[in-house]
Amino acid sequence: NAGVTQTPKFRVLKTGQSMTLLCAQDMNHEYMYWYRQDPGMGLRLIHYSVGEGTTAKGEVPDGYNVSRLKKQNFLLGLESAAPSQTSVYFCASSYGLAGVSEQYFGPGTRLTVT
Amino acid sequence: AQSVAQPEDQVNVAEGNPLTVKCTYSVSGNPYLFWYVQYPNRGLQFLLKYITGDNLVKGSYGFEAEFNKSQTSFHLKKPSALVSDSALYFCAVRDANFGNEKLTFGTGTRLTIIP
């Protein structure tokens, strides 16, 4: 039981490049989330999904897109990376709603945009 | 709107002493409250939550938190600190009266236990 895994662990991008971050969970959770963590700002929700084939915007969705084609996977895409997107990205999943159920977090992806 | 504040960026406690990490919240309705811990280079881990019921909530690793509605607080406590408790702690809140699935996290408190 691997829990929540994220690929890659580190990435450096040039401004304007694109990339996709992959999140996978093996706990059969319905809900999945993408957060970014920046110093002094806590975690901020980018996008989330309440089930396979669904996505919704969080607090800071601009510049990101997501897809949930399979229940176990949640992809986060950056179409044209900007230095402001330099951050640590965390994926999480939960059995029920985030506000009621505990979330399980992946180890994070450290992204630097130059 | 929902918000949460962790007034201390850094808390230092001697090993064996009791520890408290403070959290206050603001919601329109009833709060759902959480504590998570983050060890270096790791994702967050769930410690405990308050949804309803007893104001004193017990969680993992000997931690507990007390929900105080009049003071809108949910402070994290442990009777005797261990060096291994050193980590970054996040409080989070959701307003139960609204239908969104979003948790709002605090900015975190770095807890350092001094041997």
Side-chain angles (χ1 to χ4, degrees):
Chain A
N1 188 333
V4 180
T5 58
Q6 292 182 233
T7 309
K9 288 187 171 51
F10 303 94
R11 187 71 186 267
V12 178
L13 285 180
K14 289 184 167 38
T15 297
Q17 288 184 321
S18 63
M19 77 164 293
T20 300
L21 281 66
L22 171 63
C23 175
Q25 54 95 3
D26 61 2
M27 296 172 283
N28 202 34
H29 285 167
E30 289 292 337
Y31 299 82
M32 296 187 75
Y33 312 85
W34 276 107
Y35 293 93
R36 59 178 290 172
Q37 183 180 30
D38 301 293
M41 300 189 73
L43 271 74
R44 292 182 291 169
L45 183 65
I46 304 171
H47 286 282
Y48 64 98
S49 168
V50 300
E52 181 179 314
T54 74
T55 63
K57 294 180 180 180
E59 295 175 77
V60 289
D62 294 341
Y64 305 94
N65 56 74
V66 287
S67 64
R68 183 111 181 259
L69 298 180
K70 293 182 179 181
K71 186 177 184 178
Q72 64 268 34
N73 295 338
F74 195 30
L75 278 62
L76 178 71
L78 286 72
E79 291 186 345
S80 180
S84 61
Q85 294 177 303
T86 294
S87 187
V88 181
Y89 291 85
F90 287 101
C91 177
S93 70
S94 62
Y95 178 75
L97 290 171
V100 178
S101 301
E102 65 186 85
Q103 292 180 82
Y104 293 79
F105 284 80
T109 295
R110 187 173 295 274
L111 175 66
T112 302
V113 183
T114 61
Chain B
Q2 58 192 38
S3 65
V4 61
Q6 294 182 243
E8 301 159 317
D9 291 336
Q10 172 84 38
V11 172
N12 297 327
V13 177
E15 185 178 19
N17 282 3
L19 69 87
T20 298
V21 182
K22 295 179 180 177
C23 172
T24 58
Y25 66 89
S26 175
V27 295
S28 302
N30 293 315
Y32 293 161
L33 293 155
F34 294 76
W35 276 103
Y36 284 85
V37 61
Q38 185 180 28
Y39 298 102
N41 300 314
R42 302 285 295 276
L44 278 68
Q45 296 178 30
F46 171 78
L47 275 181
L48 50 81
K49 66 182 178 183
Y50 171 83
I51 302 298
T52 187
D54 287 342
N55 290 342
L56 185 64
V57 179
K58 294 189 183 299
S60 307
Y61 312 120
F63 284 94
E64 59 188 29
E66 185 166 12
F67 171 62
N68 188 318
K69 189 170 185 177
S70 63
Q71 296 186 3
T72 62
S73 67
F74 190 56
H75 300 332
L76 182 70
K77 300 183 179 185
K78 187 173 182 181
S80 178
L82 300 173
V83 172
S84 58
D85 294 329
S86 298
L88 189 56
Y89 290 80
F90 290 96
C91 184
V93 68
R94 179 198 162 199
D95 191 328
N97 285 22
F98 290 88
N100 67 76
E101 290 78 18
K102 184 166 64 76
L103 271 185
T104 297
F105 284 84
T107 53
T109 298
R110 186 164 300 281
L111 176 65
T112 300
I113 307 302
I114 302 165

